[in-house]
């Protein structure tokens, strides 16, 4: 009986110590969703971004989509993409989404490579904020038109401070010389290209070469999803088909989605289809 009482006492002591140990554990930290608008990444007024961070993010697992708006390098704003943020949140709920602005070209001011440099500055800044934001180094670039050109140019040209994991290209110019020499229509005159590049292919061939994503495609180029309308009056479908051929020849993972009756952008069922393609492409190629 005495031994039995001793065993009960020891068992009670064991339970008490377990309870004490369990209650002494720190409470679980819940990371909430967070939005930060107009975050500056440079000193110019237009060097800013909107940052959308998901709940329960971590530096190990939270991937990042960086959005780059279009507008012929001379117009447009990140607000053009704001309506698609919720779409991306719904389809990619674990991703952080960052929507950037950059300096726009105007008469003799902010000509190429200003926009390229701003995209790099923005990505350098985001990379430096990984710990603060709670995001990983798995960056995806998504752009439309001029924004897609800038997305491809950065992803294909730079591997520091981080190698981009994938590119989403909505009808982006891939070859600036061909863009000048073979305009899609009267709505994309060569003079408009020369105005933002700072010359013609004849007067300044180097800047055209250095500003053409297709010239930087190698076997190490990130997976690329191309989305192109068949009757685009601003960026000829030949830009996307030439890029597809180059990616194919280099063995780069890619997909080309062609909408025969669509112009420079689309809505409705085809846009839903485009976002489905984005979702599936990233799921397959960004681990």
């Amino acid at each position: 009986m005495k031994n039995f009482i001793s065993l009960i006492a020891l068992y009670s002591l064991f339970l008490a110590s377990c309870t004490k140990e369990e209650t002494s554990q720190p409470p679980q930290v819940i990371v909430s969703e967070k939005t930060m608008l107009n975050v500056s990444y440079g000193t110019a007024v237009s060097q800013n971004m909107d940052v959308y961070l998901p709940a329960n993010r971590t530096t190990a697992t939270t991937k990042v989509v960086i959005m780059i708006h279009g507008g012929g390098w001379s117009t447009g704003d990140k607000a053009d993409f704001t309506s698609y943020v919720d779409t991306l949140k719904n389809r990619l709920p674990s991703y952080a989404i960052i929507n950037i602005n950059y300096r726009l070209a105007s008469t003799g001011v902010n000509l190429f490579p200003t926009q390229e440099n701003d995209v790099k500055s923005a990505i350098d800044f985001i990379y430096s904020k990984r710990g603060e934001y709670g995001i990983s180094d798995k960056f995806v670039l998504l752009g439309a038109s001029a924004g897609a050109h800038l997305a491809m140019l950065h992803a294909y040209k730079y591997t520091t401070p981080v190698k981009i994991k994938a590119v989403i290209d909505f009808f982006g110019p891939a070859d600036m010389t061909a863009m000048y020499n073979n305009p899609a229509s009267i709505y994309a005159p060569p003079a408009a290209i020369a105005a933002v590049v700072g010359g013609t292919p004849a007067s300044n061939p180097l800047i055209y070469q250095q500003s053409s994503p297709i010239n930087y495609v190698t076997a190490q180029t990130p997976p690329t999803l191309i989305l192109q309308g068949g009757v685009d009056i601003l960026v000829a479908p030949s830009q996307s088909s030439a890029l597809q051929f180059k990616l194919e020849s280099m063995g780069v993972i890619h997909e080309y989605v062609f909408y025969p009756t669509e112009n420079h952008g689309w809505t409705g069922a085809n846009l839903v289809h485009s976002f489905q393609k984005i979702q599936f492409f990233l799921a397959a190629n960004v681990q």
Side-chain angles (χ1 to χ4, degrees), residues 13-25:
L13 186 61
F14 171 75
L15 287 178
S17 66
C18 287
T19 303
K20 183 178 180 181
E21 184 178 344
E22 289 171 2
T23 56
S24 66
Q25 295 298 315

Side-chain angles (χ1 to χ4, degrees), residues 109-147:
V109 179
N110 295 334
L111 306 184
F112 278 17
T114 299
Q115 296 73 35
E116 173 189 340
N117 292 340
D118 278 4
V119 169
K120 188 172 191 316
S121 294
I123 291 170
D124 289 352
F125 177 85
I126 297 164
Y127 184 81
S128 75
K129 292 288 186 177
R130 295 183 330 280
E132 179 181 334
Y133 290 173
I135 57 176
S136 75
D137 62 356
K138 298 173 182 177
F139 290 7
V140 173
L141 302 186
L142 183 157
S145 193

Side-chain angles (χ1 to χ4, degrees), residues 206-268:
L206 184 60
I207 190 65
Y208 277 81
Q209 187 275 330
Q210 292 177 339
S211 300
S212 295
I214 200 168
N215 293 332
Y216 295 93
V217 174
T218 69
Q220 287 72 48
T221 291
T224 301
L225 174 63
I226 307 167
L227 303 128
Q228 176 70 52
V231 291
D232 194 322
I233 61 173
L234 296 181
V235 178
S238 58
Q239 289 279 323
S240 289
S241 58
L243 176 63
Q244 180 196 27
F245 179 81
K246 186 69 175 287
L247 294 169
E248 182 74 30
S249 69
M250 290 294 176
V252 177
I253 295 171
H254 68 284
E255 186 174 356
Y256 183 24
V257 184
F258 185 69
Y259 300 98
T261 62
E262 295 291 4
N263 198 334
H264 197 67
W266 45 88
T267 59

Side-chain angles (χ1 to χ4, degrees), residues 38-88:
N38 297 313
V39 176
S40 294
Y41 66 85
T43 56
V45 173
S46 54
Q47 290 176 313
N48 61 70
M49 60 180 69
D50 296 338
V51 180
Y52 305 89
L53 303 174
N56 302 318
R57 58 194 176 274
T58 74
T59 55
T61 61
T62 301
K63 303 164 191 173
V64 184
V65 172
I66 300 170
M67 306 171 76
I68 310 173
H69 71 81
W73 306 278
S74 58
T75 64
D77 188 88
K78 60 183 168 60
D80 300 340
F81 263 159
T82 301
S83 60
Y84 301 117
V85 169
D86 283 343
T87 300
L88 287 176

Side-chain angles (χ1 to χ4, degrees), residues 139-221:
F139 290 7
V140 173
L141 302 186
L142 183 157
S145 193
H149 161 264
L150 296 171
M152 291 187 290
L153 189 62
H154 181 90
Y156 298 175
K157 195 171 183 177
Y158 300 101
T159 57
T160 58
V162 61
K163 189 177 189 298
I164 301 302
K165 300 299 183 288
V167 181
I168 309 300
D169 160 29
F170 275 99
F171 41 86
D175 185 332
M176 295 305 298
T177 301
M179 186 85 170
Y180 181 94
N181 290 331
N182 304 293
S185 72
I186 60 171
Y187 301 103
I193 304 299
V196 297
V197 177
T200 69
S203 68
N204 196 347
L206 184 60
I207 190 65
Y208 277 81
Q209 187 275 330
Q210 292 177 339
S211 300
S212 295
I214 200 168
N215 293 332
Y216 295 93
V217 174
T218 69
Q220 287 72 48
T221 291

